[in-house]
Amino acid sequence: MTLDRDKLFSLFKYAIYALLTLNVYLFFAEEWAAAAYRFEDGVALADIIQGFAASIDTAAWVVLLLMFEVETVLTDERLGRRTRLALHALRALCYLVIVYAFYGYLSKLLFLFAAAPLPDVQDLCRLVGGDWVYTVDLDEYAPLTAANCAQFSSAGTFYQLQGLNAAVDPAGLSAITRLAWVDVINSGVWLIVVFLLEFDVRLQEKDRLEGFALRASTAAKYVLYSILLLAAIYWGVMGDFVDFWDAFLWLVAFFFIEMNVVEWRQESEAEVPAGAHSTGDSFI
């Protein structure tokens, strides 16, 4: 019975990993299509993080989870000191990439703030024939044609995204900006969550995850996970399925991470024979 439960748990966990890995491709496909409009002369090295923030961010998080998985499934003896140090170095690199991705989300938000009013354009159809596109979403643009221009917007004023022949009406710009804000907040909150989790693990390794430290960490996570859940709900309501699906999967993944930390703490508090060592899923 226990064996079947463990197998189902592992199967579900690795299915989550596989789906999160698939999301890297989904984000890349979205951002690659948008890059054709945003970076007509090609994506410069300095623009990569702005153009592919979601792809890079998700890839780094997946690698980070896999590194934790290797460290917790294998014992210290099987890993070896050099291998463990290499894993810690790779984790540190993932953290740097995640912080860099946060900068990418912030850059996208600032890019929207730079949008300027289009003078003398009261009808979107006036832009047809000038290689203009309409900004459907931050990562989605549609070429303006005589057949579709009237369908995108009937507003009397429009904005142009900085450096692009990309138009958007005030309502569309406001909606896209709100989504960009959610991206920034979501990325920042996840950074705080993972740093808190690292803090918990380091304290637990020293058998000091108790008392005020435990209560403060738990209270903070309730707030942080609530914010992340609200972000996921907002993406779902706005019809952004890929972002909603990705957020949902990460919340499920970290729910199991938190459960494993709780189980790890309970096992440490129980009387364990000297020399015993758990090689199961103690963290992920």
Side-chain angles (χ1 to χ4, degrees), residues 42 122 183:
Q122 290 80 39
D183 280 343

Side-chain angles (χ1 to χ4, degrees), residues 1 23 46 121 139 179 189 196 221 268 277:
M1 186 73 174
N23 283 355
V121 177
D139 294 320
L179 287 171
V189 170
L196 269 179
K221 287 177 184 174
S268 299
H277 184 82

Side-chain angles (χ1 to χ4, degrees), residues 49 52-62 97-99 101-102 105 186-187 250:
I49 191 61
F52 300 95
S55 306
I56 294 172
D57 188 31
T58 305
W61 276 101
V62 170
V97 173
I98 290 168
V99 172
F102 173 78
Y105 290 122
N186 181 74
S187 179
W250 281 111

Side-chain angles (χ1 to χ4, degrees), residues 40-284:
E40 295 181 353
D41 298 327
V43 183
L45 185 61
D47 296 326
I48 288 178
I49 191 61
Q50 186 181 142
F52 300 95
S55 306
I56 294 172
D57 188 31
T58 305
W61 276 101
V62 170
V63 173
L64 183 62
L65 285 181
L66 293 178
M67 292 304 98
F68 278 130
E69 178 72 13
V70 171
E71 284 190 284
T72 55
V73 170
L74 300 181
T75 63
D76 292 346
E77 293 77 12
R78 291 178 64 186
L79 275 176
R81 184 173 179 275
R82 290 184 178 179
T83 303
R84 182 166 288 277
L85 287 175
L87 290 175
H88 281 302
L90 185 55
R91 280 172 56 193
L93 177 61
C94 288
Y95 287 136
L96 289 175
V97 173
I98 290 168
V99 172
Y100 191 37
F102 173 78
Y103 165 76
Y105 290 122
L106 187 59
S107 296
K108 284 187 175 182
L109 179 61
L110 296 177
F111 168 73
L112 290 174
F113 285 159
L118 267 172
D120 303 323
V121 177
Q122 290 80 39
D123 184 353
L124 193 60
C125 292
R126 289 188 59 184
L127 300 176
V128 172
D131 295 327
W132 281 81
V133 296
Y134 189 76
T135 310
V136 179
D137 200 346
L138 187 56
D139 294 320
E140 184 179 353
Y141 302 88
L144 284 172
T145 67
N148 66 17
C149 61
Q151 299 174 3
F152 284 124
S153 177
S154 58
T157 57
F158 296 90
Y159 287 84
Q160 178 181 5
L161 299 188
Q162 185 181 39
L164 302 178
N165 284 345
V168 62
D169 63 18
L173 180 61
S174 177
I176 295 171
T177 302
R178 286 195 297 270
L179 287 171
W181 267 113
V182 174
D183 280 343
V184 171
I185 293 170
N186 181 74
S187 179
V189 170
W190 273 119
L191 280 172
I192 299 173
V193 167
V194 77
F195 289 144
L196 269 179
L197 197 55
E198 284 280 359
F199 179 73
D200 287 353
V201 171
R202 300 303 163 239
L203 285 182
Q204 181 56 39
E205 288 177 342
K206 300 176 182 179
D207 293 325
R208 296 175 60 184
L209 185 59
E210 57 187 14
F212 176 77
L214 177 60
R215 292 194 298 271
S217 176
T218 301
K221 287 177 184 174
Y222 272 120
V223 174
L224 295 171
Y225 284 126
S226 296
I227 294 173
L228 295 171
L229 178 60
L230 288 175
I233 293 173
Y234 183 77
W235 281 319
V237 170
M238 296 301 293
D240 194 335
F241 175 77
V242 175
D243 280 332
F244 164 76
W245 178 240
D246 183 70
F248 170 75
L249 290 178
W250 281 111
L251 285 171
V252 172
F254 270 77
F255 170 78
F256 281 97
I257 291 173
E258 295 290 353
M259 290 296 294
N260 286 329
V261 172
V262 171
E263 291 178 7
W264 184 17
R265 188 176 68 253
Q266 291 174 344
E267 289 174 1
S268 299
E269 292 172 352
E271 292 186 2
V272 181
H277 184 82
S278 174
T279 61
D281 295 329
S282 59
F283 183 58
I284 287 184

